[in-house]
Amino acid sequence: MANESTGFLHAIEMGLGTSAWGDRVIWQYGLSYSDADLGLAFQTALKEGIALIDTAEVYGSGLSERLIGKFARGSALPVLVATKYFPWPWRLTSGSVLSALRGSLARLGMESVALYQIHRPTPFHRPERMMEAMLACLEAGLVRALGVSNFTEVEMLRAYSTLARHNLSLASNQVHFSLLARRAEKNGLLARCRELGIRLIAYSPLEMGLLGGKYGPENPLPGSRGVRYAFLTNRIGPLLKLMTKMGQDHGGKSNAQVALNWVICKGALPIPGAKNAAQAQQNAGALGWRLTPEEIAALDEASDAIG
Ligand SMILES: NC(=O)c1ccc[n+]([C@@H]2O[C@H](COP(=O)([O-])OP(=O)(O)OC[C@H]3O[C@@H](n4cnc5c(N)ncnc54)[C@H](OP(=O)(O)O)[C@@H]3O)[C@@H](O)[C@H]2O)c1
């Protein structure tokens, strides 16, 4: 059951991911892209009508939020920020959530955010306890809606029921979902989200760039991304080829656009990461058209064949 405060997410088809903004551990922030590139990615996304910007207090150790705040102050277009609370084991009191949110708002230079998410479940705190602590943020008027991330169906239902006891809705569950990561579709999480009006936000919808078509055995993903995807890079050739063919059939859509359109057709909200204007512009081209049910079935089959 989506209500007035959470329903806005259902009207959003795509967002912008910013985990690479300020990050040098996984991504090459400062080497292959600069703050100027990120500022242009931000402006391009907003101009294309993509207002939902996903971040987290831990991205770039706070730099992602700072950059978003700086870029948003320079823009007249509306911005909907979704950030996240990281449940570090030493954050023991319920006040930790409110104080972490205040830290995010200070870095963003904003008075409130659209969506506040628990970044991941933790063995240290029960979902019920974390959601009760998140409520204080809502009551303080600092967030419009509450969500979770990386929650299993059982954990999500516990978070959902906690809010339901207060006549509130859980807005979203942000999980890994792409043509190469279909667990949410296969284990029933996506269907349960749909049934309960919870928006499934799909992170890494381009599989950190692997589905974009630029990378492959001859040109592996750089840095730790290359290590993470070494086992897949040699096996996705047929899927990438099919995506390219389908893109051509739709008037020259790119592999990235096909990958994002597939996520949208499945009923999820993709938040592709972009580090420059060209990527943000191209990702916006995933909107305004749809793969056919036959094409989706063929993509599913090619994805299944990868194993
Ligand atoms: N909740 C969580 O635990 C969690 C975990 C991970 C991510 N996230 C969120 O999800 C967002 C997206 O995930 P992600 O950044 O990991 O990966 P992603 O969106 O799957 O991939 C982003 C990468 O794909 C490449 N790319 C972007 N646009 C492209 C285009 N049009 N054509 C070809 N390649 C393109 C770029 O890499 P190159 O420049 O190298 O080509 C870009 O950095 C994150 O930014 C973050 O907000 C959340």
Side-chain angles (χ1 to χ4, degrees):
M1 136 201 86
N3 65 18
E4 223 177 284
S5 65
T6 61
F8 75 97
L9 271 183
H10 292 271
I12 296 176
E13 281 200 296
M14 190 157 73
L16 169 66
T18 66
S19 62
W21 296 22
D23 182 279
R24 291 191 179 93
V25 179
I26 300 171
W27 307 91
Q28 284 76 44
Y29 169 69
L31 294 172
S32 57
Y33 54 102
S34 64
D35 287 359
D37 295 318
L38 298 176
L40 290 171
F42 182 88
Q43 282 168 26
T44 304
L46 291 192
K47 266 192 225 140
E48 291 295 333
I50 291 159
L52 182 73
I53 316 291
D54 183 73
T55 184
E57 57 174 336
V58 293
Y59 293 169
S61 303
L63 195 45
S64 171
E65 289 179 330
R66 283 201 174 85
L67 287 167
I68 291 166
K70 184 173 128 188
F71 301 149
R73 280 190 293 283
S75 166
L77 294 166
V79 179
L80 295 171
V81 172
T83 192
K84 308 185 195 82
Y85 167 79
F86 200 88
W88 297 110
W90 54 86
R91 281 179 159 170
L92 291 171
T93 65
S94 55
S96 306
V97 178
L98 194 54
S99 97
L101 174 60
R102 289 196 195 283
S104 286
L105 292 173
R107 283 184 292 277
L108 288 160
M110 294 178 182
E111 286 177 3
S112 64
V113 288
L115 179 67
Y116 200 39
Q117 308 154 96
I118 299 173
H119 205 138
R120 47 174 296 173
T122 161
F124 302 102
H125 301 300
R126 297 163 62 233
E128 290 82 358
R129 188 168 166 213
M130 285 198 287
M131 282 329 281
E132 291 286 353
M134 295 283 277
L135 272 172
C137 305
L138 203 62
E139 282 156 7
L142 302 176
V143 306
R144 184 162 162 191
L146 298 175
V148 293
S149 176
N150 296 302
F151 273 41
T152 62
E153 184 178 347
V154 169
E155 290 159 341
M156 181 181 83
L157 289 176
R158 289 171 66 180
Y160 174 88
S161 302
T162 307
L163 291 184
R165 283 195 281 279
H166 296 267
N167 287 322
L168 293 166
S169 305
L170 181 68
S172 56
N173 189 3
Q174 183 180 135
V175 298
H176 188 185
F177 185 56
S178 80
L179 260 167
L180 294 173
R182 294 176 54 202
R183 198 180 321 147
E185 184 189 2
K186 295 185 176 183
N187 68 10
L189 181 71
L190 180 60
R192 185 49 72 97
C193 282
R194 195 176 298 126
E195 183 192 316
L196 298 177
I198 300 167
R199 194 75 160 117
L200 190 137
I201 300 180
Y203 75 67
S204 301
L206 299 176
E207 222 47 63
M208 298 180 101
L210 191 59
L211 286 171
K214 182 169 93 185
Y215 301 107
E218 307 301 318
N219 181 26
L221 283 152
S224 64
R225 283 190 284 163
V227 178
R228 178 173 171 166
Y229 287 107
F231 74 105
L232 266 180
T233 309
N234 289 328
R235 293 158 57 190
I236 63 166
L239 173 65
L240 292 181
K241 228 168 138 182
L242 182 64
M243 292 165 72
T244 305
K245 154 92 178 63
M246 281 180 191
Q248 283 161 359
D249 293 346
H250 282 274
K253 295 294 178 188
S254 70
N255 276 28
Q257 290 167 338
V258 171
L260 297 173
N261 199 275
W262 177 90
V263 171
I264 293 168
C265 289
K266 292 283 176 178
L269 188 172
I271 46 167
K275 312 194 200 84
N276 53 51
Q279 289 179 348
Q281 185 80 52
Q282 203 188 102
N283 292 342
L287 300 176
W289 60 283
R290 287 287 166 119
L291 290 160
T292 65
E294 294 73 29
E295 287 170 330
I296 293 165
L299 288 169
D300 287 354
E301 201 180 320
S303 149
D304 282 337
I306 295 166

